[in-house]
Amino acid sequence: MSALLELKGVSLSFGGLRVVSELDLVVKQGEVVSVIGPNGAGKTTMFNLVTGVYQPDEGEILLDGKNIGGLQPHRISQLGVARTFQTLRLFLNMSVKENVMAACYGRTTAGVFRSMLRTPGMRREEREIEAMAAERLSFFGQRLMGYRWNQPAYSLSYANRRRLEIARAMATQPKVLLLDEPAAGMNPVETHEITELIGQLREEGGYTILVIEHDMHVVEGISDRVIALDHGVKIAEGSFDAVATDPRVIEAYLGLRTAETK
């Protein structure tokens, strides 16, 4: 498998605070790679670097071999990087289907005047967007189908809002999905379902996935590889078992004295 997403020596500082330091990371085509670490480890900052919210001070961020570091977020999205957020960011007063359709308009060609005049080309694009939204929502089965299409997003359960955010990311036709704590705030049953969903995204959807997650049951169930960060530095990488028992990881989570007794 070739590297689809690669970070080479990426660093970022806010004033005198180094939040990501010389980070090397590779996600190969078809992999699910999990990033773990305590709060403040730099995980979400890494996502913000990949998606163009922040520009790296040093290093390269490569997507399919092309350096995307420093590009604008909309351009990185068009090139094939989509993400969800730790805190849900849906259009709550729009319908479920409209939320997914909104993600497709960045790839349309009809401008303001063609939209105002409702030209045949614009209507054709609208039909294609609706079909795309229906296809993405159907991936989630009855959870987001049927009568729910026309419901406002605020009427969904928390777990289904998480699914809707993933569906919206899928609608951008990404090469890489970045999932920021997809199981956050879920009960054990919902957590199990989101674990299965991530597996389906890889197996049935064909997505390459980079995920941030604190729930170790989820990490263990989904990951081909696990990468541990602490204060912006990669401290371990490998299988779940190897990383979970690494003394540096135990120290980062629980403190030095606990790590020394392991």
Side-chain angles (χ1 to χ4, degrees):
M1 295 183 292
S2 59
L4 183 56
L5 177 66
E6 187 172 5
L7 278 66
K8 293 184 175 181
V10 172
S11 297
L12 177 67
S13 298
F14 295 139
L17 178 64
R18 189 87 151 181
V19 291
V20 174
S21 182
E22 299 180 359
L23 179 61
D24 293 323
L25 183 150
V26 174
V27 182
K28 297 179 181 178
Q29 181 77 43
E31 273 193 316
V32 177
V33 176
S34 294
V35 180
I36 66 171
N39 290 331
K43 304 182 299 297
T44 297
T45 300
M46 178 198 68
F47 269 24
N48 287 335
L49 284 163
V50 173
T51 54
V53 177
Y54 301 143
Q55 297 186 6
D57 296 330
E58 301 172 7
E60 294 182 317
I61 302 172
L62 305 177
L63 178 67
D64 246 351
K66 178 179 180 180
N67 189 5
I68 61 172
L71 295 181
Q72 292 296 309
H74 73 275
R75 180 59 182 146
I76 293 175
S77 175
Q78 291 171 346
L79 290 172
V81 178
R83 73 175 292 182
T84 64
F85 294 87
Q86 183 177 349
T87 303
L88 285 167
R89 298 187 184 181
L90 297 173
F91 303 113
L92 293 176
N93 290 316
M94 291 170 59
S95 72
V96 167
K97 186 166 71 171
E98 287 170 344
N99 264 273
V100 181
M101 290 174 64
C104 303
Y105 286 106
R107 297 179 180 273
T108 58
T109 59
V112 174
F113 291 108
R114 289 174 62 188
S115 298
M116 291 172 60
L117 296 173
R118 304 285 299 175
T119 63
M122 181 271 169
R123 294 198 300 272
R124 182 180 65 252
E125 283 191 336
E126 193 77 9
R127 290 192 297 270
E128 291 172 352
I129 288 172
E130 287 199 39
M132 170 77 76
E135 180 185 353
R136 295 299 184 263
L137 288 169
S138 68
F139 186 88
F140 298 85
Q142 293 303 311
R143 299 288 190 177
L144 294 177
M145 288 293 287
Y147 70 93
R148 288 192 171 95
W149 277 13
N150 296 317
Q151 285 186 322
Y154 67 73
S155 69
L156 295 178
S157 68
Y158 178 80
N160 282 339
R161 291 185 190 185
R162 285 282 181 191
R163 293 183 177 95
L164 177 56
E165 192 175 37
I166 294 172
R168 188 177 62 184
M170 293 165 62
T172 65
Q173 304 178 44
K175 298 176 182 177
V176 183
L177 268 176
L178 309 183
L179 306 180
D180 195 345
E181 296 193 33
M186 294 189 179
N187 63 41
V189 173
E190 293 167 340
T191 298
H192 178 71
E193 290 176 347
I194 206 71
T195 303
E196 291 185 332
L197 173 61
I198 294 171
Q200 291 169 353
L201 286 168
R202 192 260 292 275
E203 299 299 332
E204 300 173 21
Y207 293 101
T208 299
I209 302 171
L210 180 63
V211 57
I212 294 171
E213 186 53 65
H214 281 295
D215 191 314
M216 291 300 108
H217 295 293
V218 177
V219 174
E220 183 178 15
I222 64 173
S223 306
D224 295 309
R225 284 184 296 116
V226 179
I227 294 170
L229 300 183
D230 186 30
H231 293 95
V233 177
K234 182 168 68 174
I235 57 174
E237 179 175 0
S239 67
F240 173 81
D241 289 337
V243 172
T245 57
D246 190 300
R248 293 168 296 180
V249 177
I250 298 170
E251 178 185 346
Y253 274 100
L254 301 174
L256 181 58
R257 181 173 299 178
T258 303
E260 288 174 344
T261 61
K262 293 294 181 179

